[in-house]
Amino acid sequence: MDRLRAALDEVVEIVKSALEGEPKTPAEILLDEHLPVEVNVLASLVATNHQATGIPTSVMNELASRTHNVVDCPCIQARIWEILIDHQQNPNLMKKALNLLQHLLMNGSQEVLKDTRSPARASFLSELATEYNKYEFEQYEFSQNLDIGAGVRKTAAEINTLLEDDDALLQARQKAGKLHQNLSSRGLRSAYPRKNGSTHAGTSLKNEAYTGMYSYGSRLDDDIGSKIVTHPPSDSEGSADEK
């Protein structure tokens, strides 16, 4: 009888594990809390007017630290690019994802830089800076505060500057490194973990070999630039969808 009960308990645990899925990593937990993509969670944020709340600096620092982990880095990058490609109708979420990407470029691992500098990613960000929500931008030429896509284009443009200018990126990483060291020396933050052989703030980025394709996320081989939302859906498109 005891054996039967033990066997049944084991089956129950197996079923529960299958239903609940694998336990989430700390990085996934942070992303789900501060950069969610689930429809019901996003709807709840809109309903409670919390969608525009930015990611706390402490959380971005933690995620930057975790980009040195070979498991967490692809997970973090995948979430950012999922939002940039699939959630363009949500400019607030787009802005948060871009803010995190910008922070990771200045504070995260070299893998983030290599991935973001890949041709498809860089081209997408370049077009995002000029084309995103372009229709509404032109409509609100004399009322720029109504242009909800302005923040997305501005942050994308700042990221492009870092990607295209090694000196600017080096200075940004050095500045971030010095700030981190100052905070660490005062016991305000523990040092970021670094992989052996990783580039420190004082090392010239020009000597880095930006080779290899880190396909964090999905559809890297697609023409993701063609997916940029330049204007809201028209009434005719909406009626067609309803049919």
Side-chain angles (χ1 to χ4, degrees), residues 95-119:
K95 179 72 182 305
K96 290 168 70 173
L98 286 168
N99 282 339
L100 176 58
L101 179 59
Q102 185 177 33
H103 187 84
L104 297 183
L105 287 171
M106 294 186 291
N107 297 273
S109 72
Q110 288 295 316
E111 303 308 321
V112 175
L113 178 58
K114 291 176 182 178
D115 175 56
T116 309
R117 264 185 165 165
S118 67

PDB file of all heavy atoms in Angstrom, residues 95-119:
ATOM      1  N   LYS A  95       9.829  51.736 -25.639  1.00  0.00           N
ATOM      2  CA  LYS A  95      10.780  52.665 -25.024  1.00  0.00           C
ATOM      3  C   LYS A  95      11.512  51.991 -23.863  1.00  0.00           C
ATOM      4  O   LYS A  95      12.731  52.156 -23.698  1.00  0.00           O
ATOM      5  CB  LYS A  95      10.027  53.904 -24.528  1.00  0.00           C
ATOM      6  CG  LYS A  95      10.909  54.945 -23.846  1.00  0.00           C
ATOM      7  CD  LYS A  95      11.779  55.677 -24.834  1.00  0.00           C
ATOM      8  CE  LYS A  95      12.696  56.675 -24.138  1.00  0.00           C
ATOM      9  NZ  LYS A  95      11.994  57.634 -23.288  1.00  0.00           N
ATOM     10  N   LYS A  96      10.797  51.218 -23.064  1.00  0.00           N
ATOM     11  CA  LYS A  96      11.431  50.523 -21.944  1.00  0.00           C
ATOM     12  C   LYS A  96      12.454  49.507 -22.438  1.00  0.00           C
ATOM     13  O   LYS A  96      13.544  49.381 -21.872  1.00  0.00           O
ATOM     14  CB  LYS A  96      10.360  49.843 -21.079  1.00  0.00           C
ATOM     15  CG  LYS A  96       9.503  50.816 -20.292  1.00  0.00           C
ATOM     16  CD  LYS A  96       8.287  50.148 -19.689  1.00  0.00           C
ATOM     17  CE  LYS A  96       8.646  49.217 -18.571  1.00  0.00           C
ATOM     18  NZ  LYS A  96       7.426  48.701 -17.873  1.00  0.00           N
ATOM     19  N   ALA A  97      12.110  48.786 -23.505  1.00  0.00           N
ATOM     20  CA  ALA A  97      13.038  47.798 -24.059  1.00  0.00           C
ATOM     21  C   ALA A  97      14.290  48.479 -24.612  1.00  0.00           C
ATOM     22  O   ALA A  97      15.410  47.995 -24.424  1.00  0.00           O
ATOM     23  CB  ALA A  97      12.348  46.985 -25.156  1.00  0.00           C
ATOM     24  N   LEU A  98      14.106  49.610 -25.286  1.00  0.00           N
ATOM     25  CA  LEU A  98      15.249  50.338 -25.838  1.00  0.00           C
ATOM     26  C   LEU A  98      16.114  50.935 -24.728  1.00  0.00           C
ATOM     27  O   LEU A  98      17.346  50.961 -24.831  1.00  0.00           O
ATOM     28  CB  LEU A  98      14.757  51.440 -26.776  1.00  0.00           C
ATOM     29  CG  LEU A  98      14.222  50.968 -28.134  1.00  0.00           C
ATOM     30  CD1 LEU A  98      13.510  52.105 -28.853  1.00  0.00           C
ATOM     31  CD2 LEU A  98      15.347  50.413 -29.001  1.00  0.00           C
ATOM     32  N   ASN A  99      15.484  51.434 -23.675  1.00  0.00           N
ATOM     33  CA  ASN A  99      16.249  51.964 -22.541  1.00  0.00           C
ATOM     34  C   ASN A  99      17.116  50.874 -21.918  1.00  0.00           C
ATOM     35  O   ASN A  99      18.273  51.116 -21.552  1.00  0.00           O
ATOM     36  CB  ASN A  99      15.303  52.536 -21.483  1.00  0.00           C
ATOM     37  CG  ASN A  99      14.767  53.903 -21.858  1.00  0.00           C
ATOM     38  OD1 ASN A  99      15.360  54.608 -22.676  1.00  0.00           O
ATOM     39  ND2 ASN A  99      13.645  54.292 -21.281  1.00  0.00           N
ATOM     40  N   LEU A 100      16.543  49.674 -21.807  1.00  0.00           N
ATOM     41  CA  LEU A 100      17.319  48.563 -21.252  1.00  0.00           C
ATOM     42  C   LEU A 100      18.462  48.196 -22.190  1.00  0.00           C
ATOM     43  O   LEU A 100      19.594  47.978 -21.736  1.00  0.00           O
ATOM     44  CB  LEU A 100      16.416  47.351 -21.029  1.00  0.00           C
ATOM     45  CG  LEU A 100      17.124  46.084 -20.530  1.00  0.00           C
ATOM     46  CD1 LEU A 100      17.854  46.344 -19.215  1.00  0.00           C
ATOM     47  CD2 LEU A 100      16.128  44.935 -20.374  1.00  0.00           C
ATOM     48  N   LEU A 101      18.197  48.142 -23.492  1.00  0.00           N
ATOM     49  CA  LEU A 101      19.251  47.810 -24.452  1.00  0.00           C
ATOM     50  C   LEU A 101      20.382  48.831 -24.388  1.00  0.00           C
ATOM     51  O   LEU A 101      21.565  48.470 -24.404  1.00  0.00           O
ATOM     52  CB  LEU A 101      18.672  47.756 -25.865  1.00  0.00           C
ATOM     53  CG  LEU A 101      19.664  47.453 -26.993  1.00  0.00           C
ATOM     54  CD1 LEU A 101      20.352  46.113 -26.763  1.00  0.00           C
ATOM     55  CD2 LEU A 101      18.953  47.461 -28.346  1.00  0.00           C
ATOM     56  N   GLN A 102      20.040  50.103 -24.304  1.00  0.00           N
ATOM     57  CA  GLN A 102      21.054  51.156 -24.207  1.00  0.00           C
ATOM     58  C   GLN A 102      21.891  50.981 -22.939  1.00  0.00           C
ATOM     59  O   GLN A 102      23.119  51.121 -22.964  1.00  0.00           O
ATOM     60  CB  GLN A 102      20.369  52.524 -24.214  1.00  0.00           C
ATOM     61  CG  GLN A 102      21.324  53.705 -24.245  1.00  0.00           C
ATOM     62  CD  GLN A 102      20.581  55.028 -24.320  1.00  0.00           C
ATOM     63  OE1 GLN A 102      19.482  55.177 -23.776  1.00  0.00           O
ATOM     64  NE2 GLN A 102      21.155  56.001 -24.997  1.00  0.00           N
ATOM     65  N   HIS A 103      21.238  50.645 -21.839  1.00  0.00           N
ATOM     66  CA  HIS A 103      21.950  50.430 -20.578  1.00  0.00           C
ATOM     67  C   HIS A 103      22.881  49.221 -20.680  1.00  0.00           C
ATOM     68  O   HIS A 103      24.010  49.256 -20.177  1.00  0.00           O
ATOM     69  CB  HIS A 103      20.934  50.220 -19.452  1.00  0.00           C
ATOM     70  CG  HIS A 103      21.547  50.146 -18.091  1.00  0.00           C
ATOM     71  ND1 HIS A 103      21.844  51.268 -17.342  1.00  0.00           N
ATOM     72  CD2 HIS A 103      21.943  49.083 -17.336  1.00  0.00           C
ATOM     73  CE1 HIS A 103      22.383  50.907 -16.194  1.00  0.00           C
ATOM     74  NE2 HIS A 103      22.460  49.583 -16.163  1.00  0.00           N
ATOM     75  N   LEU A 104      22.423  48.175 -21.341  1.00  0.00           N
ATOM     76  CA  LEU A 104      23.245  46.969 -21.480  1.00  0.00           C
ATOM     77  C   LEU A 104      24.465  47.222 -22.358  1.00  0.00           C
ATOM     78  O   LEU A 104      25.538  46.665 -22.115  1.00  0.00           O
ATOM     79  CB  LEU A 104      22.418  45.829 -22.070  1.00  0.00           C
ATOM     80  CG  LEU A 104      21.225  45.334 -21.251  1.00  0.00           C
ATOM     81  CD1 LEU A 104      20.564  44.152 -21.942  1.00  0.00           C
ATOM     82  CD2 LEU A 104      21.636  44.968 -19.835  1.00  0.00           C
ATOM     83  N   LEU A 105      24.312  48.053 -23.384  1.00  0.00           N
ATOM     84  CA  LEU A 105      25.451  48.362 -24.249  1.00  0.00           C
ATOM     85  C   LEU A 105      26.553  49.079 -23.471  1.00  0.00           C
ATOM     86  O   LEU A 105      27.739  48.909 -23.753  1.00  0.00           O
ATOM     87  CB  LEU A 105      25.001  49.226 -25.429  1.00  0.00           C
ATOM     88  CG  LEU A 105      24.176  48.514 -26.505  1.00  0.00           C
ATOM     89  CD1 LEU A 105      23.619  49.524 -27.500  1.00  0.00           C
ATOM     90  CD2 LEU A 105      25.015  47.465 -27.226  1.00  0.00           C
ATOM     91  N   MET A 106      26.168  49.867 -22.483  1.00  0.00           N
ATOM     92  CA  MET A 106      27.148  50.628 -21.710  1.00  0.00           C
ATOM     93  C   MET A 106      27.625  49.886 -20.467  1.00  0.00           C
ATOM     94  O   MET A 106      28.700  50.174 -19.943  1.00  0.00           O
ATOM     95  CB  MET A 106      26.553  51.983 -21.304  1.00  0.00           C
ATOM     96  CG  MET A 106      26.286  52.906 -22.481  1.00  0.00           C
ATOM     97  SD  MET A 106      25.743  54.565 -21.998  1.00  0.00           S
ATOM     98  CE  MET A 106      24.118  54.215 -21.327  1.00  0.00           C
ATOM     99  N   ASN A 107      26.831  48.929 -19.995  1.00  0.00           N
ATOM    100  CA  ASN A 107      27.166  48.263 -18.736  1.00  0.00           C
ATOM    101  C   ASN A 107      27.242  46.744 -18.825  1.00  0.00           C
ATOM    102  O   ASN A 107      27.714  46.104 -17.884  1.00  0.00           O
ATOM    103  CB  ASN A 107      26.126  48.621 -17.662  1.00  0.00           C
ATOM    104  CG  ASN A 107      26.102  50.092 -17.324  1.00  0.00           C
ATOM    105  OD1 ASN A 107      26.850  50.561 -16.477  1.00  0.00           O
ATOM    106  ND2 ASN A 107      25.225  50.839 -17.990  1.00  0.00           N
ATOM    107  N   GLY A 108      26.764  46.174 -19.928  1.00  0.00           N
ATOM    108  CA  GLY A 108      26.693  44.725 -20.026  1.00  0.00           C
ATOM    109  C   GLY A 108      27.906  44.092 -20.678  1.00  0.00           C
ATOM    110  O   GLY A 108      28.948  44.725 -20.861  1.00  0.00           O
ATOM    111  N   SER A 109      27.751  42.835 -21.056  1.00  0.00           N
ATOM    112  CA  SER A 109      28.853  42.068 -21.632  1.00  0.00           C
ATOM    113  C   SER A 109      29.063  42.414 -23.099  1.00  0.00           C
ATOM    114  O   SER A 109      28.219  43.048 -23.745  1.00  0.00           O
ATOM    115  CB  SER A 109      28.565  40.570 -21.504  1.00  0.00           C
ATOM    116  OG  SER A 109      27.536  40.190 -22.412  1.00  0.00           O
ATOM    117  N   GLN A 110      30.187  41.954 -23.642  1.00  0.00           N
ATOM    118  CA  GLN A 110      30.490  42.177 -25.052  1.00  0.00           C
ATOM    119  C   GLN A 110      29.541  41.403 -25.961  1.00  0.00           C
ATOM    120  O   GLN A 110      29.362  41.770 -27.124  1.00  0.00           O
ATOM    121  CB  GLN A 110      31.936  41.758 -25.342  1.00  0.00           C
ATOM    122  CG  GLN A 110      32.980  42.696 -24.761  1.00  0.00           C
ATOM    123  CD  GLN A 110      32.928  44.074 -25.395  1.00  0.00           C
ATOM    124  OE1 GLN A 110      32.807  44.198 -26.606  1.00  0.00           O
ATOM    125  NE2 GLN A 110      33.001  45.099 -24.579  1.00  0.00           N
ATOM    126  N   GLU A 111      28.915  40.354 -25.444  1.00  0.00           N
ATOM    127  CA  GLU A 111      27.988  39.579 -26.266  1.00  0.00           C
ATOM    128  C   GLU A 111      26.783  40.424 -26.670  1.00  0.00           C
ATOM    129  O   GLU A 111      26.234  40.259 -27.761  1.00  0.00           O
ATOM    130  CB  GLU A 111      27.528  38.325 -25.510  1.00  0.00           C
ATOM    131  CG  GLU A 111      28.656  37.412 -25.060  1.00  0.00           C
ATOM    132  CD  GLU A 111      29.593  37.045 -26.193  1.00  0.00           C
ATOM    133  OE1 GLU A 111      29.107  36.814 -27.318  1.00  0.00           O
ATOM    134  OE2 GLU A 111      30.811  36.997 -25.962  1.00  0.00           O
ATOM    135  N   VAL A 112      26.358  41.331 -25.783  1.00  0.00           N
ATOM    136  CA  VAL A 112      25.249  42.228 -26.113  1.00  0.00           C
ATOM    137  C   VAL A 112      25.639  43.119 -27.289  1.00  0.00           C
ATOM    138  O   VAL A 112      24.863  43.321 -28.227  1.00  0.00           O
ATOM    139  CB  VAL A 112      24.865  43.093 -24.892  1.00  0.00           C
ATOM    140  CG1 VAL A 112      23.794  44.107 -25.276  1.00  0.00           C
ATOM    141  CG2 VAL A 112      24.380  42.220 -23.745  1.00  0.00           C
ATOM    142  N   LEU A 113      26.848  43.645 -27.237  1.00  0.00           N
ATOM    143  CA  LEU A 113      27.328  44.515 -28.311  1.00  0.00           C
ATOM    144  C   LEU A 113      27.441  43.750 -29.626  1.00  0.00           C
ATOM    145  O   LEU A 113      27.028  44.247 -30.683  1.00  0.00           O
ATOM    146  CB  LEU A 113      28.679  45.111 -27.921  1.00  0.00           C
ATOM    147  CG  LEU A 113      29.358  46.008 -28.965  1.00  0.00           C
ATOM    148  CD1 LEU A 113      28.460  47.174 -29.342  1.00  0.00           C
ATOM    149  CD2 LEU A 113      30.701  46.505 -28.440  1.00  0.00           C
ATOM    150  N   LYS A 114      27.994  42.553 -29.580  1.00  0.00           N
ATOM    151  CA  LYS A 114      28.144  41.757 -30.800  1.00  0.00           C
ATOM    152  C   LYS A 114      26.786  41.448 -31.421  1.00  0.00           C
ATOM    153  O   LYS A 114      26.611  41.532 -32.640  1.00  0.00           O
ATOM    154  CB  LYS A 114      28.889  40.463 -30.486  1.00  0.00           C
ATOM    155  CG  LYS A 114      30.353  40.662 -30.126  1.00  0.00           C
ATOM    156  CD  LYS A 114      30.992  39.342 -29.735  1.00  0.00           C
ATOM    157  CE  LYS A 114      32.450  39.533 -29.328  1.00  0.00           C
ATOM    158  NZ  LYS A 114      33.081  38.264 -28.891  1.00  0.00           N
ATOM    159  N   ASP A 115      25.838  41.096 -30.582  1.00  0.00           N
ATOM    160  CA  ASP A 115      24.504  40.767 -31.083  1.00  0.00           C
ATOM    161  C   ASP A 115      23.823  41.989 -31.685  1.00  0.00           C
ATOM    162  O   ASP A 115      23.250  41.930 -32.774  1.00  0.00           O
ATOM    163  CB  ASP A 115      23.658  40.208 -29.937  1.00  0.00           C
ATOM    164  CG  ASP A 115      22.223  39.946 -30.353  1.00  0.00           C
ATOM    165  OD1 ASP A 115      22.022  39.195 -31.322  1.00  0.00           O
ATOM    166  OD2 ASP A 115      21.300  40.494 -29.716  1.00  0.00           O
ATOM    167  N   THR A 116      23.903  43.123 -30.986  1.00  0.00           N
ATOM    168  CA  THR A 116      23.224  44.327 -31.444  1.00  0.00           C
ATOM    169  C   THR A 116      23.881  44.905 -32.686  1.00  0.00           C
ATOM    170  O   THR A 116      23.221  45.557 -33.501  1.00  0.00           O
ATOM    171  CB  THR A 116      23.213  45.388 -30.321  1.00  0.00           C
ATOM    172  OG1 THR A 116      22.725  44.791 -29.116  1.00  0.00           O
ATOM    173  CG2 THR A 116      22.315  46.559 -30.682  1.00  0.00           C
ATOM    174  N   ARG A 117      25.175  44.659 -32.863  1.00  0.00           N
ATOM    175  CA  ARG A 117      25.887  45.171 -34.031  1.00  0.00           C
ATOM    176  C   ARG A 117      25.752  44.270 -35.258  1.00  0.00           C
ATOM    177  O   ARG A 117      26.273  44.597 -36.317  1.00  0.00           O
ATOM    178  CB  ARG A 117      27.369  45.345 -33.699  1.00  0.00           C
ATOM    179  CG  ARG A 117      27.715  46.770 -33.294  1.00  0.00           C
ATOM    180  CD  ARG A 117      29.194  46.933 -33.084  1.00  0.00           C
ATOM    181  NE  ARG A 117      29.562  48.340 -33.047  1.00  0.00           N
ATOM    182  CZ  ARG A 117      30.719  48.793 -32.599  1.00  0.00           C
ATOM    183  NH1 ARG A 117      31.620  47.946 -32.146  1.00  0.00           N
ATOM    184  NH2 ARG A 117      30.981  50.081 -32.603  1.00  0.00           N
ATOM    185  N   SER A 118      25.067  43.157 -35.128  1.00  0.00           N
ATOM    186  CA  SER A 118      24.863  42.304 -36.296  1.00  0.00           C
ATOM    187  C   SER A 118      24.092  43.098 -37.352  1.00  0.00           C
ATOM    188  O   SER A 118      23.295  43.978 -37.017  1.00  0.00           O
ATOM    189  CB  SER A 118      24.094  41.044 -35.907  1.00  0.00           C
ATOM    190  OG  SER A 118      22.770  41.363 -35.530  1.00  0.00           O
ATOM    191  N   PRO A 119      24.326  42.847 -38.640  1.00  0.00           N
ATOM    192  CA  PRO A 119      23.724  43.663 -39.701  1.00  0.00           C
ATOM    193  C   PRO A 119      22.209  43.814 -39.597  1.00  0.00           C
ATOM    194  O   PRO A 119      21.676  44.915 -39.756  1.00  0.00           O
ATOM    195  CB  PRO A 119      24.132  42.918 -40.977  1.00  0.00           C
ATOM    196  CG  PRO A 119      25.414  42.244 -40.615  1.00  0.00           C
ATOM    197  CD  PRO A 119      25.250  41.830 -39.183  1.00  0.00           C
TER     198      PRO A 119
END
